[in-house]
Amino acid sequence: MQKIKPFDHLILILGTLFLCVPVLMALMSSTHTAVDIHSNGLFITPGSNGYATYEKVLTHRGGFTGDVTGLLMLKNSLIMGFGFAIGKIVLSMMAAYALVYFRFRFATVLFWMIFATLLLPLEVRIMPSYQVMSQLHLLNSYTGLIVPLLASATGTFFFRQFFKSVPDELLEAARIDGAGPWKFFIDVLVPLSKTMMAAIFIIMFIYGWNQYLWPLLMTTDESFYTLMRGIKSILQVWVGSQIPDYNEAFALAVLAMVPPVAVVVIFQRMFIKGLTESDK
Amino acid sequence: MAELTLNAVGKTYSGGVKAVSGVDIQISDGEFIVLVGPSGCGKSTLLRMVAGLETVTDGEIHIGSRLVNQLDPAERDIAMVFQNYALYPHMTVRDNMAYGLKNRRTPKAEIETRVAEAARMLELGQYLDRKPRALSGGQRQRVAMGRAIVRQPAAFLFDEPLSNLDAKLRVSMRMEIRKLQQRLGTTSLYVTHDQLEAMTLADRLVVLNGGRVEQIGAPLEVYRKPASTFVAAFIGSPAMSLLDATVEGGRLMLEGHVLAEVDHKAGPVTLGLRAEDLRLVARGGVPMRVEYIEELGAHRVVHGMVGDQSLAVVDQGAEAPGDLIHIAADPARLHLFDAATGQRIDVRSRVGEFAR
């Protein structure tokens, strides 16, 4: 048996604490009142105000219009997250399918052009994108929020590499079995890509969930508020003697963590299962 | 079921490389044809052209009475078995076999019966609901064959289907394939680089070299009368020894010793000798220095040098490396090839053995 090395464990324990304590603090602090937090700092013990805070955060109508509840923001964030993840998977799979399996001119050049866009962050093209959306009258809509960011070089790259690793004989067998391009894609490639899809889903869901700048620009209507903007707006009310509702911000942050964590947990299982069981 | 006709079939890649050229083969209904040759001889390309996976740049391929040059693989009414099986990893054995039929909108009940029938034939009944990864190599290969059988195609195409199996399994699968093909009577085209596999399976062999047909014939015919030095060296194990010899005044001379009398003009020839056609004689004959011995149990193969040319002899004796032995050949079993072109020279050896 391997000897237990106390020093190694110490490092591991420190690392774990480093990552977990802030999360725990956020969770615990959210159960105290704002005044309490303001005067005593952060807590790592549970308080008594938890239920009230979360209820208020989820159902209290806030904002200028007085319509924005935590639930609404949660819904919007989920729409963003799922819209991004699903849209990006569908789009990049189809793009990669075309790049790998169809012989057309400049396919490689096209691929590298797509790949090169990885170098450009969203911020570089944010103004032109905004203008296009505005001229299409898609401001303040889910379509406008999601569609412009759907093209994914990362996803296309991953799926392309994956498709390239699928043996050609599978395609040939399918052709002999009478499966056309569409049937081969749906019946063979999509089921084979399950692991890949799970991995991309995790990445893209969190990418969509964490969007802040783009929704800020695209939507002026408060009914499109996402959780990320909600947290920010709670902390923005520092006017005069008013204390920001720290507890609510923490509660929102905790709520904002739940869906991504759930997605990771659920898909990770699929991901690992696929990795260990698949053989092509 | 149908006959298969290849008419001056050729394949030139866009770079100008000729992979296959001028292949003429007539395959009658129910025949088992094996394409054999070393790697890179174009045998797989030829098969894939018949399957429709490669375009045909020259000539015509007919399956039955249809010209199939321009048809999709699916429309050619063929089924193919791949070297790496190419089973759909996410589908059960049943779905793997049924997939081709489903795509052709075969009625459900019909699919059921055909799959059940194929599973029974291949003894796969208990594995129908398993995924390919839960099967052994031999079982996977059987599933791949099942997938071909259920389609009831005009022709089976096999692309080195046994190469991924271990030696023992290969022998038994070879037998199974042969029995199955005879039972079903489906025209088959089978590609292999293994000459033993080719000999044992084929009704007729097609020996390919450099994209051209060297010889077409029944296994024994090819074995006994190889059309060229290439075929001679490729078919048979141990390989036929090819030696430089000369004909002088109607006598076949090997390293200065007379081996037989032949009716051929004087000059250099290439002499082909099969190890089992040679035997030891007490004196006379051609002296050979023993180099090493392959002990095979039933017999032994003695490798040695005649002059500076190597030769193999099958023997039961007890010679050891370093011994000098004398060998003689049955003149009827000598093979002569043109020294320049390597083509077979058909000559009658006039009299019996010389080295008596």
Side-chain angles (χ1 to χ4, degrees):
Chain A
M1 218 182 106
Q2 212 176 353
K3 232 173 81 181
I4 292 170
K5 297 175 188 146
F7 184 67
D8 291 2
H9 279 257
L10 184 71
I11 290 176
L12 289 176
I13 288 165
L14 283 178
T16 314
L17 288 178
F18 181 74
L19 290 174
C20 292
V21 167
V23 178
L24 186 73
M25 274 179 154
L27 181 62
M28 290 309 168
S29 300
S30 70
T31 60
H32 290 263
T33 60
V35 181
D36 219 4
I37 299 168
H38 195 65
S39 45
N40 296 327
L42 299 170
F43 291 87
I44 52 168
T45 51
S48 55
N49 203 33
Y51 181 75
T53 310
Y54 281 94
E55 194 189 15
K56 187 182 172 208
V57 162
L58 282 176
T59 56
H60 176 73
R61 292 167 184 279
F64 284 121
T65 50
D67 283 338
V68 188
T69 65
L71 276 177
L72 179 75
M73 292 190 278
L74 195 65
K75 188 190 92 182
N76 285 337
S77 283
L78 280 176
I79 289 174
M80 288 284 283
F82 279 109
F84 265 64
I86 294 167
K88 276 177 180 254
I89 287 175
V90 170
L91 211 64
S92 51
M93 261 186 108
M94 295 203 296
Y97 182 55
L99 284 172
V100 174
Y101 287 98
F102 291 86
R103 229 172 288 137
F104 56 91
R105 275 158 178 264
F106 311 122
T108 320
V109 178
L110 270 177
F111 168 72
W112 286 110
M113 276 167 66
I114 294 173
F115 192 68
T117 62
L118 268 180
L119 301 172
L120 304 173
L122 166 67
E123 287 74 13
V124 173
R125 61 175 175 92
I126 207 154
M127 288 324 290
S129 294
Y130 178 83
Q131 195 183 1
V132 169
M133 285 301 115
S134 131
Q135 281 168 359
L136 289 172
H137 302 292
L138 284 173
L139 299 180
N140 284 322
S141 70
Y142 289 118
T143 319
L145 274 175
I146 295 170
V147 171
L149 303 188
L150 275 190
S152 163
T154 326
T156 311
F157 175 70
F158 279 135
F159 279 116
R160 173 183 183 260
Q161 296 314 98
F162 176 76
F163 289 164
K164 284 196 155 222
S165 76
V166 172
D168 287 343
E169 282 86 351
L170 229 45
L171 169 68
E172 289 166 357
R175 281 180 69 191
I176 290 174
D177 269 345
W182 183 244
K183 261 189 140 352
F184 173 68
F185 183 64
I186 295 294
D187 287 350
V188 179
L189 275 186
V190 172
L192 282 182
S193 316
K194 265 190 202 144
T195 30
M196 211 57 215
M197 284 157 77
I200 304 269
F201 192 93
I202 294 178
I203 299 170
M204 294 310 171
F205 179 84
I206 291 168
Y207 180 77
W209 181 263
N210 284 342
Q211 280 301 318
Y212 177 71
L213 181 62
W214 183 247
L216 193 69
L217 276 177
M218 280 301 294
T219 54
T220 46
D221 186 339
E222 283 194 325
S223 63
F224 288 102
Y225 253 45
T226 62
L227 275 179
M228 297 306 138
R229 293 184 66 188
I231 297 172
K232 181 80 171 94
S233 65
I234 288 175
L235 296 175
Q236 257 171 349
V237 295
W238 202 310
V239 195
S241 64
Q242 201 176 357
I243 300 168
D245 291 322
Y246 289 122
N247 56 336
E248 289 177 23
F250 279 129
L252 268 186
V254 169
L255 285 177
M257 260 186 297
V258 173
V261 168
V263 163
V264 169
V265 167
I266 292 166
F267 280 88
Q268 196 181 32
R269 204 176 287 164
M270 232 175 95
F271 186 56
I272 292 170
K273 194 175 147 198
L275 275 187
T276 49
E277 281 184 3
S278 85
D279 62 340
K280 288 176 297 247
Chain B
M1 267 159 259
E3 56 265 23
L4 212 67
T5 313
L6 276 65
N7 217 337
V9 170
K11 169 84 185 173
T12 313
Y13 283 105
S14 50
V17 181
K18 261 190 170 345
V20 174
S21 52
V23 174
D24 288 300
I25 311 174
Q26 295 280 339
I27 302 169
S28 42
D29 188 14
E31 208 174 6
F32 199 116
I33 296 287
V34 177
L35 303 174
V36 66
S39 43
C41 72
K43 56 191 191 299
S44 282
T45 312
L46 190 58
L47 188 81
R48 291 164 57 80
M49 279 157 79
V50 175
L53 300 170
E54 299 268 0
T55 53
V56 181
T57 50
D58 297 302
E60 291 179 341
I61 297 176
H62 294 266
I63 297 175
S65 52
R66 290 190 303 159
L67 174 67
V68 297
N69 278 28
Q70 302 297 332
L71 291 185
D72 265 352
E75 295 165 4
R76 295 191 179 197
D77 197 17
I78 44 104
M80 188 152 166
V81 178
F82 294 86
Q83 178 178 355
N84 64 1
Y85 324 130
L87 300 175
Y88 310 115
H90 58 288
M91 295 186 194
T92 61
V93 170
R94 187 193 308 276
D95 292 338
N96 259 290
M97 292 206 258
Y99 188 61
L101 295 176
K102 270 184 203 154
N103 286 340
R104 288 178 172 72
R105 301 180 197 288
T106 315
K108 265 224 168 80
E110 168 94 21
I111 295 179
E112 293 265 317
T113 30
R114 286 208 210 170
V115 169
E117 167 73 9
R120 191 186 54 74
M121 243 190 269
L122 296 162
E123 292 160 26
L124 283 169
Q126 63 197 101
Y127 306 112
L128 276 178
D129 293 313
R130 290 209 198 164
K131 297 266 176 74
R133 67 168 161 266
L135 301 178
S136 69
Q139 289 164 342
R140 287 182 203 188
Q141 192 55 69
R142 284 218 285 272
V143 177
M145 278 165 38
R147 191 165 65 176
I149 291 170
V150 293
R151 292 261 319 279
Q152 304 181 347
F156 290 140
L157 308 177
F158 297 91
D159 190 4
E160 309 214 15
L162 304 182
S163 301
N164 282 4
L165 303 177
D166 63 62
K168 204 173 159 197
L169 200 53
R170 208 178 299 168
V171 175
S172 64
M173 283 300 289
R174 202 161 70 196
M175 234 155 59
E176 272 186 51
I177 290 183
R178 187 65 179 130
K179 277 196 283 194
L180 202 66
Q181 194 270 345
Q182 277 170 344
R183 179 136 56 112
L184 297 169
T186 309
T187 314
S188 300
L189 201 55
Y190 186 107
V191 160
T192 180
H193 61 264
D194 180 348
Q195 55 91 17
L196 195 66
E197 213 171 285
M199 292 281 289
T200 48
L201 278 172
D203 287 327
R204 278 194 298 154
L205 283 180
V206 177
V207 185
L208 288 163
N209 179 28
R212 295 185 166 280
V213 174
E214 286 274 337
Q215 188 171 11
I216 303 179
L220 269 187
E221 187 187 329
V222 172
Y223 186 81
R224 291 200 178 129
K225 285 190 146 194
S228 65
T229 49
F230 175 83
V231 179
F234 191 78
I235 301 290
S237 171
M240 184 189 278
S241 310
L242 294 168
L243 305 102
D244 295 327
T246 49
V247 178
E248 289 168 20
R251 286 176 170 183
L252 179 63
M253 310 283 288
L254 175 62
E255 297 286 334
H257 302 271
V258 181
L259 205 61
E261 292 206 342
V262 291
D263 188 9
H264 187 62
K265 65 179 193 315
V269 290
T270 302
L271 169 66
L273 294 169
R274 288 223 185 267
E276 71 270 22
D277 293 339
L278 298 170
R279 58 199 165 69
L280 269 59
V281 287
R283 64 179 65 80
V286 181
M288 175 174 119
R289 178 73 62 189
V290 178
E291 295 242 295
Y292 73 100
I293 291 159
E294 277 181 287
E295 198 67 67
L296 298 174
H299 55 82
R300 54 203 329 232
V301 181
V302 180
H303 295 265
M305 302 295 276
V306 173
D308 57 356
Q309 309 194 64
S310 59
L311 183 63
V313 182
V314 167
D315 182 46
Q316 312 275 2
E319 52 285 296
D323 289 357
L324 191 69
I325 55 173
H326 296 268
I327 51 160
D330 177 354
R333 298 280 180 92
L334 298 177
H335 307 272
L336 289 188
F337 303 98
D338 189 297
T341 64
Q343 294 302 304
R344 183 182 187 82
I345 303 168
D346 269 313
V347 287
R348 293 235 156 266
S349 51
R350 277 184 309 208
V351 279
E353 281 173 74
F354 209 81
R356 199 173 290 271

